Amino acid sequence: MLQLSRFPIKTSKDAQKVSDNRSTSLLLQAWFIRQEMAGAYNYLPLWLIVLKNIENVVREEMNSVWAQEILMTSLWNKESWLKTWRWDTVDVLFKLPASGNKEYALNPTHEEVVTPLIGEFIQSYKDLDSMSVYQFQTKFRNEARAKSGLLRWREFLMKDLYSFHKNLDDLDVYFEEVRQAYVRVFNRLWIGQDTLYAFASGWAFSKYSYEFQTKLEIGEDNIYVCSDCGQAHNDEIVEWVFSCVNCKSAKYEIVKTSEVGNIFKLGTKFSSSFGLNYLDEKNSTNEVVMGCYGIWISRLMWVIAEYMMDEKGLVWPESIAPASHYIIVIWEDNLEKAITLAKEIETKWWNVIIDDRTGKVWFGQKANDADLLGIPNRIIISPKTLEQGGYELKGRKENEGKIIKI
Amino acid sequence: MLQLSRFPIKTSKDAQKVSDNRSTSLLLQAWFIRQEMAGAYNYLPLWLIVLKNIENVVREEMNSVWAQEILMTSLWNKESWLKTWRWDTVDVLFKLPASGNKEYALNPTHEEVVTPLIGEFIQSYKDLDSMSVYQFQTKFRNEARAKSGLLRWREFLMKDLYSFHKNLDDLDVYFEEVRQAYVRVFNRLWIGQDTLYAFASGWAFSKYSYEFQTKLEIGEDNIYVCSDCGQAHNDEIVEWVFSCVNCKSAKYEIVKTSEVGNIFKLGTKFSSSFGLNYLDEKNSTNEVVMGCYGIWISRLMWVIAEYMMDEKGLVWPESIAPASHYIIVIWEDNLEKAITLAKEIETKWWNVIIDDRTGKVWFGQKANDADLLGIPNRIIISPKTLEQGGYELKGRKENEGKIIKI
């Protein structure tokens, strides 16, 4: 339960900085985030609740494919990045000078960490039956030009999962399991129906990799959707002449999207660099085959905000909203009734915001804030509703409330 | 529920690197952590569960003093650090070169971030009734010589809380509330009785600051405990002649400790640098008074491990253990019974580890691992216990188990 009268972050001294997209303006206005530096945001209390709710949805689905959660460091030694030749080739890699003439990498991705780490636990084929780990960790990218809003962040949160297998066949099976887990994640976050599963270019071990791309008017990507079979392709694999990888059709439609996840068959690229081998049934040495699977958690939050918002403000899916109910108290006399009701609601739902602000905060502003914040259910307790025997309940997307008896 | 037969991290290809303290050796041996770089550790699954359990204890107590959880960035702009003159004076500050000839700070502490951030929400004295925020965030320190084990980390997790007040009197009141919350935290983590509340040197606004120091033989600090009244002092405030700040006694005893938390009255040092003012009842402008309160979460985990361990291995307090029960399955036939029992236990307790490893993992190793991992309760299901009508239950510190009927 969160009483706005005691909530520190409620008014703003200055007018909000206008952002280049509307969801960011709404998130600033609704006390969710603050940007001070291009490409790096501070998370205020309600935003942090949304983040944790999204993490929990993703965590449940990653656990459902038997992956184990770990947490790897942000700093990493230069030697590991030299082994994969990526110290000098990854242009967004932050290189951190340190005491004793040392230099560390500030990880933008964790293959260089996870491969030797998990290698320690792999000896024989028996260790490779279900070997996958994931983490929620901050990533850093030395972007030349960071943008406000959805893209090009210098610091952001990612869920990255890595899997380890005996051969490409085993990888294929697990890859499909994770793909289905991703579909479940985006469905639970209410963006599933407009999130495309698009072919993208692969590496030596796989012709294609795959992106999860959510349709958005302000999206930064162009996705080519086959007019005949509906298969999506990213722009990397569309050559001079478009040809659908599925049905070979030459007709397509371009859709604006934003990337929320990608899955990739790494093959033996990293096992090879770090000497990650296993002994098979015949006691021969083989290279471990790897896959990696990312979800851009911070960007996903923005995409959901942008995708769901309406003319009144933000709209959160019930699965991740910062609160299930927003109770507007009209007279202070009714605060006690509101607290009792909130406690009852919290036994069945999750968090309740009570707008018990006094002073110059009138009903109109409270009702606007309930909409702006995007809380799924709004309740009004006033002398008028009590006269009618209860309180008024209204869904965020409904125009009219109805009286519920207490 | 966690079945070790499906758990990726269970055996180790190489012998563990020996550390300079026993708790770190145990944590390596028991698959909790891996160090690849001095002063930075990867957290494996069981360690991450302990971390989250500790975070939850701390979170509950911070919420009990009406603080709101936020999350601030790791990267920060050089200008803010120049404003407080700390860019050139904090010797452990990592300075990160970035695109476009920029330089960022990689935050070792967040006063430079939180002061302007929260300043945006402070206008009048009315905004200062209960204004405190906290976060769990990674901190980075450019240590010249990082150590293994408890100290001198380059990357570690901290809980830091910042409070904002009208005047020193208000700060004093809130400061005492947080101090009591800290006492509750350390009690709930079973180290309260040996955690001293020690005077340390303050700044211009307060004669003293305060440290929470846990008694440990391998501790890096010397704490001077008054032989007459028991008051603790750190070495900074012990001059040529010891004199207890409480009773003026000159007798003391030196105790080895490790610092797990500190609380500090910042006064107006940072408000002054960032122009953080408020209008009082008479419409005059005043500087906001601040306090800051840290708990070294990563070090706290080590201190608890070191403090609680015994000759058999780690011992976790029930409040934060990675699992409440460790079930040893002797014959595979009994796995189903173990799973049924685990489900029942998890309705009342939390996580259950089922040791259903087969192959060359015999009973002796399973029993040793149950002790090594420090799980509070061990259960054995075997033909022998079933013959006696149930399973054997033994507490981690008990020598004999007893049969519980199914």
Side-chain angles (χ1 to χ4, degrees):
Chain A
M1 196 185 313
L2 196 152
Q3 277 176 252
L4 290 193
S5 65
R6 301 202 63 156
F7 192 61
I9 292 158
K10 55 191 178 229
T11 54
S12 195
K13 202 184 273 185
D14 307 304
Q16 291 314 313
K17 289 160 198 136
V18 177
S19 165
D20 58 6
N21 62 68
R22 183 161 171 263
S23 54
T24 303
S25 301
L26 291 174
L27 290 168
L28 288 164
Q29 201 187 335
W31 347 304
F32 279 94
I33 52 165
R34 280 299 175 269
Q35 175 191 335
E36 284 292 324
M37 185 180 120
Y41 289 87
N42 292 310
Y43 289 16
L44 298 178
L46 297 179
W47 191 233
L48 193 57
I49 298 175
V50 175
L51 169 68
K52 288 187 180 175
N53 290 342
I54 290 187
E55 278 190 6
N56 281 338
V57 168
V58 175
R59 180 174 289 120
E60 282 175 21
E61 296 299 341
M62 296 306 107
N63 291 349
S64 80
V65 293
W66 295 92
Q68 289 288 338
E69 188 173 356
I70 63 173
L71 181 61
M72 293 179 277
T73 57
S74 293
L75 298 181
W76 206 240
N77 62 66
K78 182 178 175 176
E79 289 66 34
S80 285
W81 282 84
L82 285 171
K83 272 194 190 169
T84 57
W85 306 95
R86 298 211 289 185
W87 181 263
D88 294 312
T89 55
V90 172
D91 60 345
V92 295
L93 182 67
F94 271 123
K95 297 170 184 178
L96 182 67
S99 286
N101 282 321
K102 287 189 177 165
E103 249 184 323
Y104 301 124
L106 199 52
N107 289 318
T109 177
H110 278 76
E111 284 87 358
E112 275 78 359
V113 189
V114 79
T115 310
L117 174 69
I118 295 303
E120 207 187 317
F121 301 100
I122 295 174
Q123 201 152 16
S124 87
Y125 67 97
K126 290 176 194 161
D127 302 319
L128 288 165
D129 274 347
S130 56
M131 179 58 99
S132 68
V133 292
Y134 71 98
Q135 65 173 353
F136 293 93
Q137 175 61 303
T138 304
K139 308 282 181 179
F140 298 91
R141 286 170 66 93
N142 188 9
E143 292 282 0
R145 296 193 313 153
K147 287 189 181 178
S148 63
L150 283 75
L151 262 186
R152 294 230 192 113
W153 287 345
R154 298 201 165 95
E155 176 178 352
F156 56 94
L157 193 76
M158 197 163 168
K159 185 285 302 171
D160 42 334
L161 186 150
Y162 304 89
S163 70
F164 302 82
H165 308 276
K166 292 196 283 284
N167 49 50
L168 280 169
D169 287 347
D170 280 12
L171 169 59
D172 287 346
V173 171
Y174 191 73
F175 195 83
E176 176 59 18
E177 281 180 36
V178 179
R179 192 189 71 79
Q180 288 174 16
Y182 271 47
V183 170
R184 292 195 296 273
V185 165
F186 299 124
N187 282 338
R188 290 176 65 178
L189 300 178
W190 294 16
I191 57 171
Q193 64 186 53
D194 276 332
T195 297
L196 303 168
Y197 176 66
F199 280 86
S201 59
W203 278 352
F205 301 95
S206 169
K207 198 166 174 191
Y208 304 114
S209 69
Y210 304 91
E211 293 172 354
F212 288 83
Q213 291 272 6
T214 306
K215 291 183 190 170
L216 269 193
E217 269 177 43
I218 64 157
E220 74 285 3
D221 284 346
N222 287 321
I223 289 292
Y224 295 74
V225 179
C226 172
S227 304
D228 288 330
C229 75
Q231 177 60 54
H233 312 68
N234 85 350
D235 54 3
E236 286 170 1
I237 58 162
V238 173
E239 305 278 310
W240 286 95
V241 181
F242 175 81
S243 166
C244 173
V245 296
N246 185 38
C247 73
K248 309 295 169 206
S249 160
K251 285 179 289 176
Y252 61 87
E253 185 194 348
I254 295 182
V255 179
K256 284 275 176 199
T257 60
S258 190
E259 188 180 341
V260 288
N262 60 28
I263 57 180
F264 210 96
K265 296 178 186 176
L266 297 171
T268 58
K269 177 178 162 64
F270 291 94
S271 338
S272 185
S273 298
F274 291 99
L276 175 54
N277 304 315
Y278 73 97
L279 290 175
D280 66 15
E281 290 85 339
K282 294 167 190 156
N283 232 20
S284 323
T285 299
N286 297 275
E287 282 185 333
V288 170
V289 173
M290 290 173 58
C292 74
Y293 317 79
I295 291 181
W296 310 82
I297 301 288
S298 315
R299 192 194 289 167
L300 181 58
M301 294 170 74
W302 246 267
V303 165
I304 295 168
E306 180 78 26
Y307 179 84
M308 297 287 301
M309 68 184 180
D310 64 15
E311 67 292 350
K312 292 178 190 164
L314 298 161
V315 178
W316 294 111
E318 286 195 352
S319 48
I320 57 166
S324 60
H325 294 71
Y326 189 104
I327 303 183
I328 295 178
V329 180
I330 305 258
W331 295 104
E332 277 178 73
D333 301 354
N334 297 323
L335 178 56
E336 213 170 301
K337 282 199 185 68
I339 291 174
T340 307
L341 180 61
K343 280 181 188 161
E344 200 191 308
I345 291 171
E346 287 189 346
T347 62
K348 287 173 207 161
W349 300 70
W350 56 109
N351 190 23
V352 176
I353 295 175
I354 299 181
D355 193 346
D356 56 347
R357 288 177 290 177
T358 53
K360 287 178 186 164
V361 186
W362 311 115
F363 172 73
Q365 187 183 338
K366 292 183 179 184
N368 286 344
D369 282 349
D371 284 342
L372 171 65
L373 265 60
I375 310 302
N377 300 289
R378 186 190 80 185
I379 287 175
I380 299 172
I381 302 187
S382 71
K384 201 174 121 194
T385 68
L386 289 168
E387 212 169 85
Q388 294 176 270
Y391 55 85
E392 188 202 282
L393 175 69
K394 187 183 88 61
R396 171 63 179 77
K397 300 290 282 184
E398 293 164 9
N399 290 319
E400 291 284 317
K402 54 175 184 280
I403 295 293
I404 307 281
K405 303 281 176 202
I406 289 183
Chain B
M1 197 183 313
L2 197 152
Q3 279 177 250
L4 290 192
S5 65
R6 301 201 64 156
F7 192 61
I9 293 159
K10 57 190 177 230
T11 54
S12 195
K13 203 184 275 186
D14 306 304
Q16 292 314 312
K17 287 160 198 134
V18 176
S19 167
D20 58 5
N21 61 69
R22 182 160 172 262
S23 55
T24 303
S25 301
L26 291 173
L27 290 168
L28 287 165
Q29 201 187 336
W31 348 304
F32 279 95
I33 53 166
R34 279 300 174 267
Q35 176 192 334
E36 284 293 325
M37 185 180 121
Y41 289 87
N42 292 311
Y43 289 15
L44 298 178
L46 298 179
W47 191 233
L48 193 57
I49 298 175
V50 175
L51 169 67
K52 287 186 182 177
N53 290 343
I54 290 187
E55 277 190 7
N56 282 338
V57 168
V58 175
R59 180 174 289 121
E60 282 174 21
E61 295 300 340
M62 297 306 108
N63 291 348
S64 79
V65 292
W66 295 92
Q68 290 288 338
E69 188 174 355
I70 63 173
L71 181 61
M72 293 181 277
T73 57
S74 292
L75 299 180
W76 206 240
N77 62 65
K78 182 178 175 176
E79 290 67 35
S80 286
W81 280 85
L82 285 170
K83 270 192 191 171
T84 56
W85 306 96
R86 298 211 289 185
W87 181 262
D88 294 311
T89 54
V90 173
D91 61 344
V92 295
L93 182 67
F94 271 123
K95 297 169 183 178
L96 182 67
S99 286
N101 283 320
K102 286 188 178 166
E103 249 184 322
Y104 302 123
L106 199 52
N107 290 318
T109 176
H110 278 77
E111 284 86 359
E112 276 77 359
V113 188
V114 79
T115 310
L117 174 69
I118 295 302
E120 208 187 316
F121 301 100
I122 294 174
Q123 201 154 13
S124 87
Y125 67 97
K126 291 176 194 161
D127 302 319
L128 288 165
D129 274 347
S130 56
M131 179 58 97
S132 68
V133 291
Y134 71 99
Q135 66 174 351
F136 295 92
Q137 176 61 301
T138 304
K139 309 281 180 177
F140 297 91
R141 287 170 66 92
N142 189 9
E143 293 283 0
R145 295 192 313 153
K147 288 189 181 178
S148 63
L150 285 77
L151 262 186
R152 293 230 192 110
W153 289 343
R154 298 202 165 95
E155 176 177 352
F156 55 93
L157 193 75
M158 198 166 167
K159 185 286 301 173
D160 42 333
L161 187 150
Y162 304 89
S163 70
F164 302 82
H165 307 275
K166 295 195 282 283
N167 49 51
L168 281 168
D169 286 348
D170 281 12
L171 170 59
D172 287 346
V173 171
Y174 191 73
F175 195 83
E176 176 59 18
E177 283 180 35
V178 178
R179 192 189 71 78
Q180 288 174 16
Y182 271 46
V183 170
R184 291 195 296 273
V185 165
F186 299 123
N187 282 338
R188 289 175 65 178
L189 300 178
W190 295 14
I191 57 171
Q193 65 188 48
D194 276 333
T195 298
L196 301 168
Y197 176 65
F199 280 86
S201 59
W203 279 352
F205 302 95
S206 170
K207 198 166 175 192
Y208 304 114
S209 69
Y210 305 90
E211 293 171 354
F212 289 83
Q213 293 272 6
T214 306
K215 291 183 191 170
L216 270 192
E217 268 176 45
I218 64 158
E220 74 286 3
D221 284 346
N222 287 320
I223 289 291
Y224 295 73
V225 179
C226 172
S227 305
D228 288 330
C229 76
Q231 177 61 53
H233 312 69
N234 84 351
D235 54 2
E236 287 170 0
I237 58 163
V238 173
E239 306 279 310
W240 285 93
V241 181
F242 175 82
S243 165
C244 172
V245 298
N246 184 38
C247 74
K248 309 294 168 209
S249 160
K251 287 179 286 175
Y252 62 86
E253 184 195 347
I254 295 183
V255 179
K256 284 273 175 200
T257 59
S258 190
E259 188 181 341
V260 288
N262 60 27
I263 56 179
F264 210 96
K265 295 178 186 177
L266 298 172
T268 58
K269 177 178 162 65
F270 292 95
S271 338
S272 185
S273 299
F274 291 98
L276 175 55
N277 303 315
Y278 73 96
L279 290 175
D280 66 15
E281 290 86 338
K282 293 168 189 156
N283 232 22
S284 321
T285 299
N286 296 275
E287 282 184 334
V288 170
V289 173
M290 290 172 60
C292 73
Y293 317 79
I295 291 181
W296 310 83
I297 300 287
S298 316
R299 192 193 291 167
L300 181 58
M301 294 170 74
W302 246 266
V303 165
I304 295 168
E306 180 77 24
Y307 179 83
M308 297 287 300
M309 67 185 180
D310 64 14
E311 69 291 350
K312 293 179 190 164
L314 298 161
V315 179
W316 294 112
E318 287 196 350
S319 49
I320 57 166
S324 61
H325 293 71
Y326 188 105
I327 303 183
I328 296 177
V329 181
I330 305 256
W331 294 105
E332 278 179 71
D333 302 354
N334 297 322
L335 179 56
E336 214 171 299
K337 283 198 186 69
I339 290 174
T340 308
L341 180 62
K343 280 182 187 159
E344 202 192 307
I345 291 172
E346 287 190 344
T347 61
K348 287 174 208 160
W349 299 71
W350 56 110
N351 191 23
V352 176
I353 295 174
I354 300 181
D355 193 345
D356 56 348
R357 288 178 290 177
T358 53
K360 287 179 188 161
V361 186
W362 311 116
F363 172 73
Q365 186 183 338
K366 292 183 180 183
N368 287 344
D369 282 350
D371 283 342
L372 171 65
L373 265 61
I375 310 303
N377 300 288
R378 186 190 80 183
I379 287 174
I380 299 172
I381 302 187
S382 71
K384 201 175 118 193
T385 67
L386 289 168
E387 212 169 84
Q388 293 176 271
Y391 55 85
E392 187 202 284
L393 174 70
K394 186 184 87 62
R396 171 63 179 78
K397 301 290 280 183
E398 292 164 8
N399 290 318
E400 291 285 315
K402 54 174 184 277
I403 296 293
I404 307 283
K405 303 280 175 202
I406 288 182

